[in-house]
Amino acid sequence: MRNLPPLPDTSRARVLVVGDVMLDRYWFGDVSRISPEAPVPVVKVERSEERPGGAANVARNAAALAAHTVLLSVVGQDEPAQALGRLLESEGVVASLQTDPDLATTVKLRVIGRQQQLLRIDFETWPNHESLQATLVEFRSRLPNVDVVVLSDYGKGGLTHVAEMIRLAREANKPVLVDPKGDDYSKYRGATLLTPNRSELRQVVGKWRDDADLAARAQKLRTELALDALLVTRSEEGMTLFRDEGSVHEGTRAREVYDVSGAGDTVIATLAVMLAAGAPMADAMRWANHAAGIVVGKLGTATVTLDEIKIPD
């Protein structure tokens, strides 16, 4: 494969994913007229699909790369939670989902007509303290049996104890990768690696003038947060890894960009699996970039299989 490092044995990788899960629902239909009630298209729904989203999509991406994957999260006592459980089981993820009877499992419903997303409707509430505490207890017990921890923050309240989880993981000498959310990264202090995208990083460090300015701002943030590394995903510009010894850049590998939703999940999942399998961080980034180039050519939250990433690009 062009410019790609050797692929490690991912079947021995053990990944623990914690964070906000959601159910992605898709309604596909035909659009042939405008509503007489309002200037909006009328979609005649012809089929529907359900896929795990959020941290659940990270977990299924790790499992698709043959890693033993455990997912910890909180869901409601409702039909979407049951659907999530079935989907995750079918994709080889060991899902331990704490049930909060007062919580509505997060659902993102997308209406798609003529292969374009026309509308998204979100249903969500925040989990309670008891269910979050139970997740933290289980997190502590799972740590000895994993190689890498992924904390997938979608800002839905599932990672209220993120600072404590990072502390516990580092004390156990487990690398901890974080997909961050919001403009306050202080809660992620001490993590091994953060994976903000371009716009997320801009919220935190401000707008940069050029690559040199980006490097200065990224390294300053990395030092302030005591991170081993900062990986900035930059859409059509590829991704850049910042570490003590400098930076490494990988240009985009996308053949055709169809849908970028969930691409960040694929990136952090691939990173985690490769690191858990023993790959150096720079090599893991190159595999993650390759996987991202494949997944953006698919509709919606999707995975990249081990067979797919073995195909030369």
Side-chain angles (χ1 to χ4, degrees):
M1 279 165 283
R2 179 170 62 86
N3 297 327
L4 283 170
L7 185 66
D9 179 8
T10 58
S11 66
R12 61 191 180 95
R14 302 173 300 169
V15 178
L16 175 62
V17 181
V18 190
D20 301 302
V21 298
M22 57 196 71
L23 182 65
D24 286 334
R25 283 189 159 137
Y26 298 85
W27 288 357
F28 298 91
D30 182 49
V31 179
S32 59
R33 62 192 178 97
I34 300 298
S35 170
E37 303 165 2
V40 295
V42 175
V43 181
K44 181 184 177 184
V45 176
E46 297 171 340
R47 65 183 177 91
S48 62
E49 287 184 20
E50 294 180 334
R51 301 176 193 174
N57 190 44
V58 175
R60 70 194 279 254
N61 267 272
L65 293 175
H68 177 72
T69 308
V70 176
L71 171 67
L72 303 184
S73 192
V74 180
V75 293
Q77 199 167 1
D78 51 23
E79 179 273 330
Q82 295 171 1
L84 257 179
R86 289 193 301 270
L87 289 167
L88 289 165
E89 183 179 10
S90 71
E91 300 203 39
V93 175
V94 178
S96 181
L97 305 175
Q98 296 287 337
T99 300
D100 178 353
D102 298 323
L103 175 71
T105 302
T106 298
V107 175
K108 292 184 178 180
L109 172 61
R110 296 171 175 89
V111 180
I112 297 171
R114 295 180 181 171
Q115 299 301 307
Q116 290 188 333
Q117 186 177 150
L118 304 176
L119 177 69
R120 194 181 93 184
I121 305 169
D122 291 3
F123 306 85
E124 61 188 40
T125 53
W126 278 47
N128 64 32
H129 173 76
E130 289 76 14
S131 56
L132 293 172
Q133 192 62 39
T135 300
L136 182 60
V137 170
E138 184 172 0
F139 176 83
R140 185 183 283 108
S141 69
R142 294 270 187 180
L143 273 177
N145 300 312
V146 302
D147 301 307
V148 172
V149 173
V150 177
L151 303 178
S152 180
D153 194 349
Y154 270 79
K156 311 298 183 187
L159 283 178
T160 298
H161 299 299
V162 64
E164 177 69 0
M165 289 178 175
I166 291 171
R167 185 187 67 79
L168 289 169
R170 297 311 296 262
E171 282 184 358
N173 293 316
K174 308 293 183 181
V176 54
L177 316 183
V178 181
D179 190 357
K181 196 72 172 179
D183 57 7
D184 179 13
Y185 283 10
S186 62
K187 57 190 171 184
Y188 307 126
R189 184 180 307 280
T192 306
L193 172 75
L194 257 60
T195 62
N197 62 35
R198 188 169 52 187
S199 61
E200 288 169 340
L201 184 68
R202 196 175 288 124
Q203 288 180 45
V204 178
V205 303
K207 190 174 182 179
W208 49 87
R209 298 182 302 276
D210 49 30
D211 281 355
D213 190 25
L214 166 61
R217 292 169 187 255
Q219 293 287 28
K220 182 173 183 288
L221 178 67
R222 188 187 62 79
T223 302
E224 288 173 350
L225 297 179
L227 307 172
D228 290 3
L230 182 70
L231 177 67
V232 183
T233 56
R234 304 172 61 185
S235 191
E236 74 282 354
E237 296 175 353
M239 56 183 66
T240 309
L241 179 69
F242 297 95
R243 293 181 294 174
D244 258 344
E245 53 267 45
S247 64
V248 180
H249 182 75
E250 276 282 297
T252 183
R253 289 176 177 267
R255 303 176 187 89
E256 178 182 359
V257 177
Y258 186 68
D259 190 341
V260 298
S261 60
D265 299 337
T266 299
V267 167
I268 198 167
T270 307
L271 277 169
V273 171
M274 297 303 165
L275 290 173
M281 191 173 287
D283 286 359
M285 178 197 71
R286 292 168 70 186
W287 281 112
N289 190 49
H290 177 52
I294 297 170
V295 83
V296 295
K298 302 181 180 185
L299 174 65
T301 48
T303 62
V304 176
T305 67
L306 203 54
D307 286 340
E308 285 176 310
I309 67 169
K310 290 177 181 176
I311 297 172
D313 63 344

